[in-house]
């Protein structure tokens, strides 16, 4: 009996060890999932840092990617950033569905296992107690039986002994009856304890312990099922993001397919297109004309001389109109050797000789006397240096014409968008002001006046900026009028090339600015005379009176006081600004809505600008 109990105890300890191993394995897998989550999180973090490192820092619109290869790379970075987000989703799903569930279940499993083991130990302890009680009653019964046997032997010896007194025999008989009675009582108690122990033992081995073992078995099976579910959840966390990851990879492939090498090449061409015309051919300079100097002038006909003059003029006309990159084109060179200056003549005897006309020789001598080094002016050289190294100017005059046109057009578009926003805001404020005036309980109309004034100032400022940039753009496109057409050189006796520089540092292609005059005959010529140009003042076409004061803080505006009278030199062209001039000659733009304009009907020479 005790052997069976010991074997049971050994099996119970084995089950104790097995269930503990199951919980340890569960916690080990939870630790594995935790480390996998950390790997996913670190991977996603490193991917995001990588994307952040190689993404452009767009401090301005000029630095935005334009080439298709760059745009494709940045699209790939965006897809990679989304891919990193999916890795974070995997980590979050594993942490919530697998790791968190495992940790909660492991805690519940430990509590349940402890309860079942305690129940098994209590049942074993109760069975051991019943066995001890039965064993004690058995030993006591055995001891009483031996004492009764001894009392019976003593009684029989005294009863057969003739020398024993009757009192001794009676005493021995009483002792025998006492021991026999006690033996019977211990026998009954032993029988009861034995019956009780047998019942408890049967219950222990057939009811209590199997039930505890069954509970431990169910607990272990649930642990196994939970591990299976976590394995499936571990894989599902990865499988759920596969469609989105596939889309990210497809986006990378589409970005790679979007690369267009021809479009990138065209962007390079558009970015570096200067708008300059290639320089013209240099005319041939014949320094040998003075060698063939002659005094004979009767061999050349007048018609041929005129033809020679026309050829020379045509040569100069062809050389005119070329755009020079860093300054004005050099002055016209001496004409090449032509048939009007050199031809063959026959003598009466049939021999031929070379003859020269007097005019070409005189022209060559004049060129030698009045010639000067053909170098660009100082300001032109400085302007060329600013194109390469100078800082960016407000009118983009440091850029070539084509690039300057693009920049000005972009700025005008941006200013127009800002102007539209300010106009919409002004309209909304006026509507709100009307509502407040009709319903004073909704708000104070005066509270909107500062915002309206600020919006009006912004609109005036933007209109002035647009007007100024449109003037620069018109100058680049060769559409400037008025002042640009009236500019003249202090020395009008030289050729003005088509690539003449404007005072603002830009280049103009207006051929109307070319002035041609006869060549200078004096020997002194200042290279910098054509760099100092004066503008004729515009005539007044009327006058105006300031209705409201205007501060004129912005560049190009003219400050005025209320009631001040100014001259009008340019009308409002629909942008809300009128050009005015004080008596001291100071000019600028003033808001048309701030003045009362009176135009002269017979104003002659009035010039307006676009």
């Amino acid at each position: 009996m005790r052997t069976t109990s010991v074997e049971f105890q050994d099996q119970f300890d084995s089950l104790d060890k097995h269930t503990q191993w199951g919980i340890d394995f569960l916690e080990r897998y939870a630790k594995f999932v935790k480390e996998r989550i950390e790997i996913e999180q670190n991977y996603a973090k490193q991917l995001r840092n990588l994307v952040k490192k190689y993404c452009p820092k767009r401090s301005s619109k000029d630095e935005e990617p334009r080439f298709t290869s760059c745009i494709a790379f940045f699209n790939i970075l965006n897809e990679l950033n989304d891919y990193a987000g999916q890795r974070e989703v995997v980590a979050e799903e594993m942490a919530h569905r697998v790791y968190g569930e495992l940790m909660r279940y492991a805690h519940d499993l430990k509590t349940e296992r402890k309860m079942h083991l305690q129940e098994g130990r209590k049942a074993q302890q109760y069975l051991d107690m019943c066995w001890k009680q039965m064993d004690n009653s058995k030993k006591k019964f055995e001891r009483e039986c031996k004492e009764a046997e001894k009392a019976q032997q003593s009684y029989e010896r005294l009863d057969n002994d003739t020398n024993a007194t009757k009192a001794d025999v009676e005493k021995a008989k009483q002792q025998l009856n006492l021991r026999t009675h006690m033996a019977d009582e211990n026998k009954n108690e032993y029988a009861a304890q034995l019956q009780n122990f047998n019942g408890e033992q049967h219950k222990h081995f057939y009811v209590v312990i199997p039930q505890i073992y069954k509970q431990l078995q169910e607990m272990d099976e649930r642990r196994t099922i939970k591990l299976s579910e976590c394995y499936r959840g571990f894989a599902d966390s990865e499988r759920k993001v596969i469609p989105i990851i596939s889309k990210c990879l497809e986006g990378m492939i589409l970005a790679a397919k979007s690369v267009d090498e021809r479009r990138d090449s065209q962007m390079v061409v558009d970015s570096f297109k200067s708008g300059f015309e290639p320089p013209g051919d240099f005319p041939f300079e014949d320094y040998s004309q003075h060698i063939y100097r002659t005094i004979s002038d009767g061999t050349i006909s007048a018609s041929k001389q005129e033809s020679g003059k026309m050829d020379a003029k045509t040569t100069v006309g062809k050389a005119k109109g070329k755009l020079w990159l860093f300054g004005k084109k050099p002055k016209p060179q001496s004409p090449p050797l032509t048939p009007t200056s050199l031809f063959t003549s026959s003598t009466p005897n049939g021999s031929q000789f070379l003859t020269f006309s007097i005019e070409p020789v005189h022209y060559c001598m004049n060129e030698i006397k009045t010639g000067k080094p053909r170098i660009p002016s100082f300001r032109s050289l400085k302007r060329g240096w600013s194109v390469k190294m100078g800082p960016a100017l407000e009118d983009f005059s440091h850029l070539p014409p084509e690039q300057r046109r693009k920049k000005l057009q972009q700025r005008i578009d941006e200013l127009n968008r800002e102007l539209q926003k300010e106009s919409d805001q002004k309209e909304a404020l006026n509507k709100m002001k009307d509502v407040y005036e009709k319903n004073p309980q909704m708000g104070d109309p005066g509270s909107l006046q500062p915002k309206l004034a600020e919006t009006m100032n912004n609109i005036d400022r933007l209109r002035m900026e647009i007007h100024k940039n449109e003037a620069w753009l018109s100058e680049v496109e060769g559409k400037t009028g008025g002042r640009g057409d009236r500019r003249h050189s202090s020395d009008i006796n030289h050729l003005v090339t088509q690539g003449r520089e404007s005072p603002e540092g830009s280049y103009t292609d207006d051929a109307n600015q070319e002035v041609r005059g006869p060549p200078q005959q004096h020997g002194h010529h200042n290279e910098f005379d054509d760099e100092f140009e004066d503008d004729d003042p515009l005539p007044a076409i009327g006058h105006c009176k300031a209705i409201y004061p205007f501060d004129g803080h912005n560049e190009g505006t003219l400050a005025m006081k209320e009631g001040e009278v100014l001259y009008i030199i340019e009308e409002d062209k629909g942008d809300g600004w009128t050009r005015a001039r004080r008596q001291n000659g100071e000019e600028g733009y003033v808001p048309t809505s701030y003045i009362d304009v009176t135009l002269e009907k017979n104003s002659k020479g009035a010039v307006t600008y676009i």
Side-chain angles (χ1 to χ4, degrees), residues 209-226:
I209 291 302
Q211 185 177 1
I212 294 175
Y213 282 179
K214 185 179 180 180
Q215 291 174 351
L216 289 174
Q217 180 182 357
E218 291 176 354
M219 182 192 71
D220 193 65
E221 289 176 355
R222 290 198 306 271
R223 176 189 63 83
T224 306
I225 293 174
K226 179 59 69 174

Side-chain angles (χ1 to χ4, degrees), residues 464 550-559 577 586-590:
M464 186 194 65
F550 180 63
D551 51 10
H553 291 324
N554 296 326
E555 181 181 359
T557 59
L558 181 65
W577 293 90
E586 185 179 0
E587 298 180 1
Y589 288 92
V590 296

Side-chain angles (χ1 to χ4, degrees), residues 182-193:
M182 293 181 65
D184 291 339
E185 289 181 357
N186 288 325
K187 180 181 179 181
N188 294 332
E189 184 180 358
Y190 167 64
Q193 291 294 335

Side-chain angles (χ1 to χ4, degrees), residues 273-306:
K273 184 178 180 181
S274 64
F276 293 123
E277 293 183 4
D281 298 336
F282 280 90
F284 177 75
E285 301 177 11
D286 191 357
Y287 296 99
S288 62
Q289 289 184 2
H290 64 281
I291 302 176
Y292 306 103
R293 190 176 305 148
T294 178
I295 59 174
S296 176
D297 57 349
T299 59
I300 301 177
S301 64
S303 62
K304 291 185 179 181
Q305 291 177 3
E306 294 176 359

Side-chain angles (χ1 to χ4, degrees), residues 547-576:
I547 304 175
Y548 308 105
F550 180 63
D551 51 10
H553 291 324
N554 296 326
E555 181 181 359
T557 59
L558 181 65
M560 62 181 180
K561 299 179 181 179
E562 184 178 358
E564 185 177 359
V565 178
L566 304 173
Y567 293 111
I568 301 296
I569 59 176
E570 182 180 341
E571 294 184 63
D572 185 0
K573 294 301 180 181
D575 56 359

Side-chain angles (χ1 to χ4, degrees), residues 156-398:
E156 290 177 354
R157 190 182 65 249
L158 290 175
D159 189 34
N160 294 328
D161 188 6
T162 57
N163 297 324
T165 62
K166 186 178 181 178
D168 292 336
V169 174
E170 191 65 27
K171 184 178 179 180
K173 186 179 179 179
Q174 291 178 0
Q175 186 68 26
L176 175 60
N177 293 333
L178 179 63
R179 291 298 177 182
T180 302
H181 178 72
M182 293 181 65
D184 291 339
E185 289 181 357
N186 288 325
K187 180 181 179 181
N188 294 332
E189 184 180 358
Y190 167 64
Q193 291 294 335
L194 180 61
Q195 185 181 2
N196 180 58
F197 173 75
N198 289 333
E200 293 295 335
Q201 181 176 252
H202 184 274
K203 181 181 178 181
H204 178 79
F205 285 104
Y206 288 94
V207 179
V208 178
I209 291 302
Q211 185 177 1
I212 294 175
Y213 282 179
K214 185 179 180 180
Q215 291 174 351
L216 289 174
Q217 180 182 357
E218 291 176 354
M219 182 192 71
D220 193 65
E221 289 176 355
R222 290 198 306 271
R223 176 189 63 83
T224 306
I225 293 174
K226 179 59 69 174
L227 280 174
S228 176
E229 292 176 354
C230 291
Y231 295 159
R232 189 179 297 108
F234 185 85
D236 288 341
S237 301
E238 185 83 20
R239 187 174 59 181
K240 285 182 179 179
V241 300
I242 287 179
I244 302 178
I245 291 177
S246 299
K247 290 183 179 179
C248 294
L249 298 177
E250 290 176 1
M252 295 181 184
I253 295 175
L254 292 176
K257 292 180 180 179
S258 66
V259 176
D260 189 351
E261 66 281 2
R262 294 188 178 276
R263 182 180 176 185
D264 289 353
S265 299
Q266 187 62 37
M267 285 184 181
V268 175
V269 173
D270 295 340
S271 298
F272 297 103
K273 184 178 180 181
S274 64
F276 293 123
E277 293 183 4
D281 298 336
F282 280 90
F284 177 75
E285 301 177 11
D286 191 357
Y287 296 99
S288 62
Q289 289 184 2
H290 64 281
I291 302 176
Y292 306 103
R293 190 176 305 148
T294 178
I295 59 174
S296 176
D297 57 349
T299 59
I300 301 177
S301 64
S303 62
K304 291 185 179 181
Q305 291 177 3
E306 294 176 359
S307 175
K309 290 180 182 179
M310 290 179 63
D311 292 341
K313 185 182 298 184
T314 304
T315 303
V316 175
K318 290 182 180 180
K320 183 180 71 174
K322 304 298 182 181
L323 183 61
W324 292 82
L325 184 58
F326 296 117
K328 297 181 177 55
K329 179 187 171 190
K331 298 300 184 292
Q333 309 299 326
S334 59
L337 198 60
T338 62
T340 61
S341 61
L342 175 62
F343 66 97
T344 57
S345 178
S346 299
T347 60
N349 58 6
S351 61
Q352 296 180 352
F353 61 92
L354 296 174
T355 61
F356 297 87
S357 65
I358 297 178
E359 183 178 354
V361 174
H362 174 73
Y363 181 76
C364 292
M365 294 301 295
N366 188 37
E367 280 294 313
I368 294 174
K369 293 180 181 179
T370 62
K372 61 180 178 179
R374 296 175 178 86
I375 59 173
S377 64
F378 175 75
R379 194 175 75 173
S380 299
L381 290 175
K382 182 174 69 173
R383 183 73 41 75
W385 176 258
S386 66
V387 170
K388 293 183 179 180
M389 301 297 292
L393 302 177
E394 184 183 6
D395 59 352
F396 300 111
S397 59
H398 62 289

